[in-house]
């Protein structure tokens, strides 16, 4: 459909996913989606694409099976697209054909990118990164997927997840943001959270990872950017 939606996953009643029409603010539906001491809505990172809402529970267990739900945005009916066995704190992104999940967290000792077929839920590919971290936001555009993790911004080819380039960034990553120019020849923007990179905003060229700004990174006066762009 063409509508836009906002969703919230509440745990007080054991797990209910609510959906509102963004244009009118009216509640579209509410559907039971069980949560527990193992599965929580924290860091669920829902996204809406082509009439479907994709959402997956957070877990304090690195290895517990975690469903990736595919929800009909119009009705709230849902099925389980796939089962994942990794932590996902930083989120995921999609190019309409595949879903790319960033893996890693405080209960794991790895950084990894997983690629799922969005139609079948099949795991297509995965690749390790040289860095580990609690948070790893990702974004995709024009045949590349970008992953920001502690100390490094990575760029992978969506076709086979080979690494195209990487750039060092200062500071740790915690609920951070990443932004992409959605046109050829654009940049990728990111900002670490705390530590040596506090208050930094980086801009790199998507094509090769070279600096997009003459002064890169830019230091902001208020030092810390948290969960915003």
């Amino acid at each position: 459909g063409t509508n836009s939606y906002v969703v919230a996953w509440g745990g007080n009643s054991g797990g209910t996913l609510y959906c509102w029409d963004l244009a009118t603010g009216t509640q579209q539906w509410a559907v039971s989606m069980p949560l527990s001491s193992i599965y929580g809505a924290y860091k669920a990172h829902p996204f809406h694409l082509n009439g479907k809402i994709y959402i997956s529970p957070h877990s304090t267990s690195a290895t517990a099976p975690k469903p990736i739900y595919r929800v009909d945005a119009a009705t709230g009916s849902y099925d389980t697209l796939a089962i994942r066995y990794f932590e996902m704190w930083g989120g995921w992104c999609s190019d309409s054909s595949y879903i790319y999940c960033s893996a890693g967290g405080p209960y794991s000792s790895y950084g990894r990118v997983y690629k799922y077929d969005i139609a079948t839920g099949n795991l297509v590919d995965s690749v390790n990164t040289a860095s580990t971290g609690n948070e790893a936001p990702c974004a995709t555009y024009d045949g590349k997927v970008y992953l920001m993790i502690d100390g490094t911004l990575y760029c992978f080819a969506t076709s086979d997840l080979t690494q195209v380039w990487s750039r060092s960034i200062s500071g740790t990553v915690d609920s951070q943001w990443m932004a992409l120019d959605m046109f050829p020849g654009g940049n990728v923007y990111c900002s670490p959270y705390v530590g040596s990179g506090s208050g930094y905003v980086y801009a790199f060229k998507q094509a090769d990872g070279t600096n997009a700004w003459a002064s890169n990174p830019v230091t902001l006066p208020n030092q810390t950017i948290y969960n915003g762009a």
Side-chain angles (χ1 to χ4, degrees):
T2 58
N3 289 2
S4 296
Y5 303 93
V6 58
V7 296
W9 202 359
N12 289 341
S13 60
T16 302
L17 183 68
Y18 298 90
C19 177
W20 295 268
D21 187 294
L22 193 59
T24 64
T26 57
Q27 182 175 310
Q28 298 292 101
W29 44 258
V31 62
S32 176
M33 189 173 282
L35 297 172
S36 66
S37 59
I38 297 295
Y39 299 126
Y42 179 62
K43 305 288 185 182
H45 298 289
F47 71 88
H48 174 241
L49 180 66
N50 297 332
K52 303 294 183 182
I53 296 168
Y54 299 85
I55 193 167
S56 187
H58 173 76
S59 177
T60 55
S61 169
T63 57
K66 307 163 195 61
I68 296 175
Y69 294 124
R70 176 175 52 192
V71 187
D72 188 304
T75 66
S77 61
Y78 68 91
D79 63 354
T80 299
L81 177 65
I83 301 292
R84 61 182 178 88
Y85 295 86
F86 55 85
E87 286 190 275
M88 185 177 70
W89 287 60
W92 45 3
C93 57
S94 177
D95 58 9
S96 295
S97 297
Y98 300 97
I99 296 173
Y100 306 93
C101 303
S102 66
Y107 306 102
S108 308
S109 57
Y110 55 76
R112 195 167 182 86
V113 180
Y114 288 84
K115 176 181 177 181
Y116 291 90
D117 188 300
I118 199 169
T120 66
N122 292 335
L123 178 62
V124 178
D125 204 353
S126 65
V127 62
N128 280 324
T129 70
S131 306
T132 61
N134 290 354
E135 309 276 351
C138 60
T140 183
Y141 173 68
D142 194 27
K144 297 184 178 70
V145 60
Y146 303 88
L147 176 72
M148 180 171 63
I149 201 165
D150 287 357
T152 309
L153 175 68
Y154 291 96
C155 173
F156 300 96
T158 57
S159 57
D160 57 6
L161 295 186
T162 55
Q163 184 174 312
V164 180
W165 53 261
S166 66
R167 286 296 306 268
S168 296
I169 54 177
S170 297
T172 59
V173 177
D174 184 353
S175 297
Q176 293 314 102
W177 59 271
M178 179 185 299
L180 299 178
D181 289 326
M182 305 295 282
F183 52 79
N187 304 327
V188 52
Y189 308 90
C190 64
S191 174
Y193 171 47
V194 294
S196 59
S198 180
Y200 286 178
V201 177
Y202 292 85
F204 302 111
K205 294 180 181 179
Q206 294 178 19
D208 57 11
T210 55
N211 288 350
W213 294 337
S215 177
N216 195 36
V218 169
T219 304
L220 299 185
N222 293 326
Q223 295 300 310
T224 299
I225 301 175
Y226 185 80
N227 202 23

